Amino acid sequence: MTDLPDLTSVIGQSTYGKTVWIKLYTRGRSRGFFYDPTATFEVDTWVDLDGLLELDDSGFFRERKHFRIGMYDPDGVDTLANIAYRDGNNTLVLEEASTIFTRNQTLPPWMRRHVFLGRHRNVQTVISAQRAATIPIDVRSQSRRVVTFRQEEPADLQWLRAKFGDRAFEASQFPPLHCMENHRGDITEYSIEDAAKRVLTPENHT
């Protein structure tokens, strides 16, 4: 996995591995902002919007070289993302796109900045969804890396075909923790089961 800033979309049915993939991908990254409505990521602390603003006012994000901050309230996602973009050199994780965006929604300004300008701020943005259709089209089309775990809905498989060709339909048969990845046109297929066993605690294999 490259250190170059990428916009990454991770797609797959529940319990098939997309969250595990993101946990592996973000492991060891020094500055992380995590939106996760189920609060399963390992972070230094979980905050609400008021707590996030208090940390920001204190200069925490400018002074610290290492932190992992989590938020599970979707009402504060825009502020979380704005801070990550403003300071740069960060990783931003947005779990479960369906809790942030509505179908066919115009991309809000805070997300447009990450999609089209995030690489200029050296921000790695990772967004996940159970279905491809719930990730806004601008995000999907601009993603330099697309990772898919098991997908069965015809509309989602058809969209994946643009990234993976006819191999996209293989995703309907993927077992848990097995995925296919298109990174800047390079397509690979692999399992993350062994990696998950090596580096994640059992409770984080979800």
Side-chain angles (χ1 to χ4, degrees), residues 52-71:
L52 181 69
L53 292 173
E54 287 178 11
L55 284 175
D56 192 40
D57 289 342
S58 74
F60 179 90
F61 300 118
R62 292 184 176 88
E63 296 170 358
R64 298 293 184 94
K65 293 183 178 179
H66 302 279
F67 60 79
R68 292 169 68 93
I69 298 297
M71 172 178 282

Side-chain angles (χ1 to χ4, degrees), residues 65-176:
K65 293 183 178 179
H66 302 279
F67 60 79
R68 292 169 68 93
I69 298 297
M71 172 178 282
Y72 47 80
D73 182 357
D75 291 337
V77 171
D78 56 343
T79 302
L80 188 78
N82 283 336
I83 293 172
Y85 180 86
R86 180 199 68 198
D87 293 345
N89 301 309
N90 292 311
T91 297
L92 173 67
V93 172
L94 303 174
E95 270 273 89
E96 300 299 347
S98 63
T99 65
I100 310 172
F101 307 108
T102 58
R103 190 73 63 88
N104 299 321
Q105 174 187 352
T106 300
L107 211 59
W110 63 266
M111 190 63 198
R112 288 187 64 83
R113 280 192 289 273
H114 282 276
V115 170
F116 295 105
L117 299 172
R119 66 186 182 278
H120 300 294
R121 302 292 298 155
N122 196 31
V123 178
Q124 296 272 5
T125 301
V126 184
I127 185 168
S128 78
Q130 294 187 30
R131 296 192 57 195
T134 61
I135 296 179
I137 184 62
D138 283 340
V139 177
R140 284 182 278 152
S141 63
Q142 294 296 317
S143 290
R144 299 290 186 94
R145 177 186 280 112
V146 175
V147 180
T148 183
F149 288 82
R150 190 181 182 98
Q151 288 279 274
E152 295 180 353
E153 290 294 328
D156 297 317
L157 291 169
Q158 190 61 41
W159 180 82
L160 288 171
R161 193 177 182 186
K163 294 291 184 180
F164 299 101
D166 289 340
R167 293 188 63 186
F169 298 103
E170 298 173 20
S172 65
Q173 303 299 319
F174 283 172

